[in-house]
């Protein structure tokens, strides 16, 4: 059965929350009202593309593409991918690769001059996965600040 790639809808809130348990199983459950508001904001933003793989009505993979307006590089935007996740039972079927390719297509269509992705995991297999999807390792040095415990 082939998964359908599409943009998430408001009806996907509960399935998205279940899918995100595969991204961070130890995260505390989100406040329902806050989660609903966050999804509504994402879906209303012309900058955000919440992409999902839907297999027979079950969300099995997702990623978030953000297209950021920019005043450099000929005023071309850039894009960032976050929260790449595949349900544990559906890994190694090419779903995340298909989603990443869709995100790349959308970033190119938006005129982006670059697409960035930061991997939170350091396992070599995961890093090679991103390289096979077209990303280059080690291009920039990445820094972050975190306010979550």
């Amino acid at each position: 059965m082939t998964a359908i790639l599409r943009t998430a809808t408001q009806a996907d809130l509960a399935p998205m929350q279940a899918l995100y348990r595969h991204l961070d199983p130890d995260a505390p459950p989100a406040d329902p009202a806050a989660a609903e508001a966050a999804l509504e904001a994402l879906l209303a933003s012309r900058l955000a593309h919440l992409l999902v793989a839907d297999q027979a009505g079950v969300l099995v993979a997702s990623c978030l593409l953000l297209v950021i307006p920019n005043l450099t590089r000929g005023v071309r935007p850039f894009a960032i991918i976050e929260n790449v996740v595949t349900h544990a039972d559906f890994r190694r079927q090419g779903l995340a690769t298909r989603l990443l390719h869709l995100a790349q297509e959308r970033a190119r269509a938006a005129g982006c001059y670059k697409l960035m992705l930061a991997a939170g995991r350091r396992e070599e297999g995961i890093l090679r996965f991103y390289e096979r999807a077209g990303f280059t390792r080690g291009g920039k040095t990445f820094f972050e600040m975190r306010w979550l415990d």
Side-chain angles (χ1 to χ4, degrees), residues 1-147:
M1 183 176 310
T2 302
I4 296 169
L5 304 187
R6 61 175 176 81
T7 301
T9 67
Q10 197 70 35
D12 291 322
L13 180 58
M16 285 299 302
Q17 290 179 305
L19 179 61
Y20 283 149
R21 302 300 299 159
H22 294 269
L23 180 66
D24 186 1
D26 298 324
D31 171 72
E36 186 173 339
L39 181 59
E40 189 173 301
L42 281 170
L43 298 178
S45 173
R46 63 178 183 80
L47 305 178
H49 304 257
L50 184 55
L51 307 174
V52 297
D54 179 327
Q55 190 158 311
V58 177
L59 295 190
V60 295
S62 180
C63 73
L64 175 62
L65 171 69
L66 301 169
V67 176
I68 314 298
N70 185 30
L71 293 173
T72 66
R73 309 290 182 176
V75 195
R76 291 178 65 189
F78 61 92
I80 301 171
I81 292 177
E82 266 292 322
N83 301 331
V84 178
V85 59
T86 302
H87 186 292
D89 295 341
F90 294 88
R91 292 183 180 150
R92 299 193 182 277
Q93 297 179 26
L95 297 167
T97 300
R98 289 179 55 207
L99 281 173
L100 291 175
H101 288 163
L102 177 58
Q104 290 170 29
E105 290 170 16
R106 293 215 180 163
R108 282 185 175 268
C112 293
Y113 82 93
K114 72 177 176 181
L115 174 59
M116 298 180 288
L117 179 147
R121 309 245 322 260
R122 290 184 166 70
E123 293 93 338
E124 190 61 29
I126 292 171
L127 301 178
R128 281 195 307 271
F129 159 73
Y130 288 123
E131 287 176 324
R132 285 190 307 273
F135 292 89
T136 303
R137 192 186 320 194
K140 287 195 171 212
T141 302
F142 181 80
F143 296 90
E144 71 176 344
M145 287 185 185
R146 286 194 179 226
W147 293 279

